[in-house]
Amino acid sequence: MAEANLSLIVEFTLLGFSDLPNLQSFLFGLFFIIYTGILMGNGLIIVITNIDPALQTPMYFFLRNFSFLEICYTSVILPRILASLWTQKRNISFPACAVQFCAFFVMAITENFLLTVMAYDRYVAICKPLNYPLIMNHKVCVWLVVGSWISGIPIHILLTYLIFSLPFCGSKELNHIFCDIRPLLKLACGDTSVNEFSFYAIVLVLGMLPFLLIIWSYVKIITTILKVPGNKGRSKAFSTCSSHLMVVVLYFGCGIITYLRPSSDQIAGLDKVLSIIYTTITPMFNPIIYSLRNKDVVLALKKLLFK
């Protein structure tokens, strides 16, 4: 009976930034600006890639979906952080924590797949330009996006069940900014090795496999570009890929450091800092990278502002 009662937790406490009581107002303002920037930046890309006739290509179709995903991705985390900083109420119910956990990792895996699809699109455009319209037709593009969205859902529903079916005991305080895997496992009782193995196996397969496919695509792309005669042709080809490659390095770099590094109890705030970079800073910079590094997007933005 005592063991059964241990698992009857109705809510957790997300400590977040409670250890910085004098900075609550500043942090609220900072995260509000970041969230507003993410919504406006990604929303602007969605608008201009929809209305500009020159941007009705597969590359910008994928970019539009990627920007929408970034909005959804951050909206799983940031609104609750803002509400917590504003009201100083840090409780989150057990079901809400499970939903946030599942939604976050579904979005993360979707981003892995969507970045892979975008790399494949650039590979076909540069390495097989004559067959590009046939291979990347609208129907194929739609299926690639739909597949990216739904592929990780069954696996992460199962993972969420495995984590939240654990008995939780002792403290209910999650020393983190959202319901993440490591702080949850720290509160779990008994042997969690199977759950940890399942999580890291999924991270390796659904995280590293897309990353390796992207690297393979860009090795092929760079090899092909170097064969293009004339500096002008090479420069144009590199410019269409550089934005995506910067986003890939930023996203996967932060993800690998966050989830595949050894756990450290000595540096309590490190997970929070890495998660902030991973969930807020990266999505904020993505529209800037695409806007500044892509001449077509800059031109479309100037047209929109002029109108």
Side-chain angles (χ1 to χ4, degrees):
M1 180 66 77
E3 287 185 8
N5 287 336
L6 290 176
S7 62
L8 298 177
I9 290 179
V10 295
E11 65 179 14
F12 294 103
T13 302
L14 283 170
L15 295 182
F17 303 100
S18 59
D19 56 335
L20 302 171
N22 298 326
L23 296 177
Q24 299 295 293
S25 299
F26 169 77
L27 289 170
F28 176 84
L30 178 63
F31 282 110
F32 181 79
I33 291 170
I34 290 173
Y35 190 45
T36 303
I38 291 170
L39 295 179
M40 291 180 64
N42 287 285
L44 192 58
I45 286 181
I46 292 171
V47 171
I48 62 177
T49 54
N50 258 315
I51 65 174
D52 194 292
L55 302 183
Q56 304 308 307
T57 63
M59 183 174 80
Y60 296 107
F61 172 74
F62 294 133
L63 178 57
R64 181 162 61 248
N65 281 276
F66 181 74
S67 294
F68 175 70
L69 173 63
E70 292 287 76
I71 291 173
C72 298
Y73 181 63
T74 53
S75 294
V76 174
I77 306 296
L78 278 176
R80 181 169 286 277
I81 292 176
L82 289 170
S84 169
L85 289 169
W86 181 260
T87 63
Q88 298 301 304
K89 294 179 180 179
R90 299 182 175 87
N91 293 346
I92 181 171
S93 69
F94 191 88
C97 189
V99 169
Q100 187 187 61
F101 175 88
C102 185
F104 174 77
F105 282 105
V106 166
M107 300 284 181
I109 294 303
T110 301
E111 189 153 345
N112 291 350
F113 289 147
L114 197 52
L115 286 170
T116 308
V117 167
M118 293 168 77
Y120 175 70
D121 171 70
R122 291 299 83 209
Y123 162 75
V124 177
I126 293 172
C127 300
K128 300 181 179 180
L130 297 178
N131 295 325
Y132 182 71
L134 181 64
I135 297 174
M136 300 303 293
N137 60 69
H138 183 68
K139 185 177 180 180
V140 170
C141 293
V142 170
W143 276 112
L144 286 172
V145 169
V146 171
S148 298
W149 274 95
I150 66 175
S151 295
I153 293 177
I155 295 172
H156 278 292
I157 288 176
L158 175 61
L159 179 61
T160 303
Y161 171 76
L162 287 173
I163 298 300
F164 284 85
S165 61
L166 287 169
F168 292 94
C169 56
S171 173
K172 297 186 293 183
E173 295 181 343
L174 290 170
N175 189 17
H176 207 51
I177 59 173
F178 69 98
C179 294
D180 203 356
I181 180 74
R182 280 182 170 172
L184 283 166
L185 288 176
K186 285 180 181 178
L187 299 188
C189 302
D191 184 15
T192 62
S193 57
V194 174
N195 307 77
E196 289 189 65
F197 176 79
S198 301
F199 174 77
Y200 287 108
I202 289 171
V203 168
L204 284 172
V205 174
L206 300 185
M208 294 305 294
L209 182 59
F211 180 67
L212 293 175
L213 288 172
I214 292 171
I215 295 301
W216 176 84
S217 297
Y218 274 98
V219 169
K220 292 287 187 180
I221 288 169
I222 292 171
T223 303
T224 303
I225 290 175
L226 292 176
K227 295 177 182 178
V228 174
N231 291 330
K232 187 176 180 181
R234 291 179 185 178
S235 177
K236 184 177 180 181
F238 271 121
S239 68
T240 61
C241 299
S242 59
S243 301
H244 180 253
L245 192 55
M246 288 175 67
V247 170
V248 166
V249 171
L250 193 61
Y251 175 77
F252 279 99
C254 291
I256 290 169
I257 294 171
T258 302
Y259 291 106
L260 297 185
R261 66 175 180 82
S263 181
S264 175
D265 293 326
Q266 284 78 22
I267 309 175
L270 183 59
D271 283 335
K272 293 182 188 179
V273 173
L274 290 172
S275 295
I276 291 167
I277 296 172
Y278 189 68
T279 60
T280 62
I281 305 301
T282 304
M284 182 180 68
F285 278 114
N286 288 348
I288 299 172
I289 292 170
Y290 278 113
S291 297
L292 296 179
R293 300 286 301 175
N294 192 302
K295 294 179 181 179
D296 293 333
V297 173
V298 172
L299 183 60
L301 184 58
K302 288 179 179 178
K303 289 180 183 178
L304 180 65
L305 294 175
F306 181 74
K307 288 180 181 180

